[in-house]
Amino acid sequence: MEVRILVVDDDPELRESVAEVLEDAGFDTTVAETGAVALRKVEEICFDLIILDLMMPRMGGMEALPLLRKKCPRAKIIIITAFSTVEVAVEAMRKGADDYISKPFKVNDLLTTIRRNIEEARFQDCRMALDMDGTFNCLSNPIRRKILLIGAQDEPLRFMDIVRQLEIEDHTKVNFHLKILKEANLIAQNEKKSYVLTEEGRKIVECIGILAENLSG
């Protein structure tokens, strides 16, 4: 999934340099030269991450921060500051920042900070999705989890294909678990009666992988 990033900085050289680095790294990047422009941009696009310079004329980053947070509650916000003090960081976090990076910074440090925050956002989204009662009940059973992972092979599966891969002789039991997954809208049947993951099912499989990575890391 493409990650959309907004870079907010009044320094045109730094702003364009950061945008170029992010574009080269594969991120969909938009720029804004002031806090006011940034607020207009977030009305048009739901950004996944915002990089915000604290020191800007007129509307500074600290003033724009809570407004951006209100308009983009799920976006990760990373502040850029030339004055890296505990007080500044705490104040920024209190107003809605998720992380900060100090000037001057290295490109690798910036990219590492961005990727860490994106991963945290994905982890949080998955936790919310998996916390839903219906989804949690479905995933509580190892057979149903395995069916979803089998379905992630990107090929429609016939009933007997699933039975063979599960290595379960009791066809009634397999039917029972498939029915529960269908009722939870995690799998569906196509016109040939083969089983496929729904969009929600694919998201859940992705979440299982993300959670496994984070919990083992």
Side-chain angles (χ1 to χ4, degrees):
M1 184 179 69
E2 193 170 41
V3 175
R4 292 162 296 192
I5 298 179
L6 175 63
V7 179
V8 190
D9 199 307
D10 66 306
D11 182 336
E13 186 175 343
L14 179 61
R15 184 174 67 243
E16 297 304 325
S17 176
V18 169
E20 184 177 347
V21 166
L22 297 184
E23 289 283 359
D24 288 344
F27 299 114
D28 180 1
T29 308
T30 302
V31 297
E33 61 274 21
T34 67
V37 172
L39 289 169
R40 291 199 295 272
K41 296 282 187 183
V42 298
E43 294 282 0
E44 303 167 2
I45 302 173
C46 183
F47 292 98
D48 301 295
L49 187 142
I50 300 170
I51 299 173
L52 177 66
D53 186 21
L54 282 188
M55 300 299 294
M56 293 185 291
R58 295 184 292 279
M59 181 184 287
M62 200 68 87
E63 183 183 352
L65 183 51
L67 301 175
L68 289 168
R69 170 55 66 214
K70 185 175 180 180
K71 290 180 179 292
C72 292
R74 297 183 66 181
K76 285 287 186 176
I77 301 179
I78 302 172
I79 60 167
I80 299 176
T81 174
F83 306 101
S84 179
T85 67
V86 172
E87 291 76 15
V88 169
V90 168
E91 176 67 7
M93 300 296 178
R94 189 180 68 79
K95 290 190 173 184
D98 296 287
D99 209 339
Y100 74 94
I101 188 165
S102 304
K103 292 180 182 178
F105 52 81
K106 296 179 180 178
V107 168
N108 285 342
D109 292 339
L110 175 64
L111 291 175
T112 297
T113 301
I114 289 171
R115 288 178 177 131
R116 183 179 66 246
N117 277 273
I118 290 170
E119 192 63 23
E120 287 175 2
R122 293 174 69 201
F123 182 77
Q124 290 164 1
D125 285 347
C126 286
R127 254 188 18 188
M128 290 172 61
L130 296 177
D131 277 346
M132 295 168 58
D133 286 343
T135 303
F136 185 80
N137 289 336
C138 278
L139 298 178
S140 64
N141 184 280
I143 294 176
R144 293 195 284 272
R145 291 199 299 272
K146 191 169 182 180
I147 290 172
L148 289 176
L149 293 174
I150 291 171
Q153 297 171 2
D154 282 334
E155 291 182 7
L157 295 167
R158 294 173 299 175
F159 177 76
M160 289 309 299
D161 294 330
I162 297 172
V163 169
R164 279 193 292 271
Q165 292 196 48
L166 289 174
E167 298 181 340
I168 295 176
E169 294 182 3
D170 187 344
H171 293 187
T172 302
K173 181 181 288 187
V174 177
N175 258 322
F176 168 76
H177 291 299
L178 287 170
K179 184 174 185 294
I180 290 177
L181 290 169
K182 283 178 68 177
E183 289 176 350
N185 193 36
L186 299 182
I187 64 170
Q189 285 179 282
N190 61 20
E191 65 280 358
K192 296 182 178 180
K193 299 299 181 182
S194 294
Y195 291 90
V196 294
L197 289 185
T198 63
E199 184 176 342
E200 184 66 21
R202 292 189 179 283
K203 180 179 179 182
I204 293 302
V205 169
E206 181 183 357
C207 285
I208 292 172
I210 291 171
L211 289 175
E213 289 174 10
N214 279 272
L215 293 174
S216 63

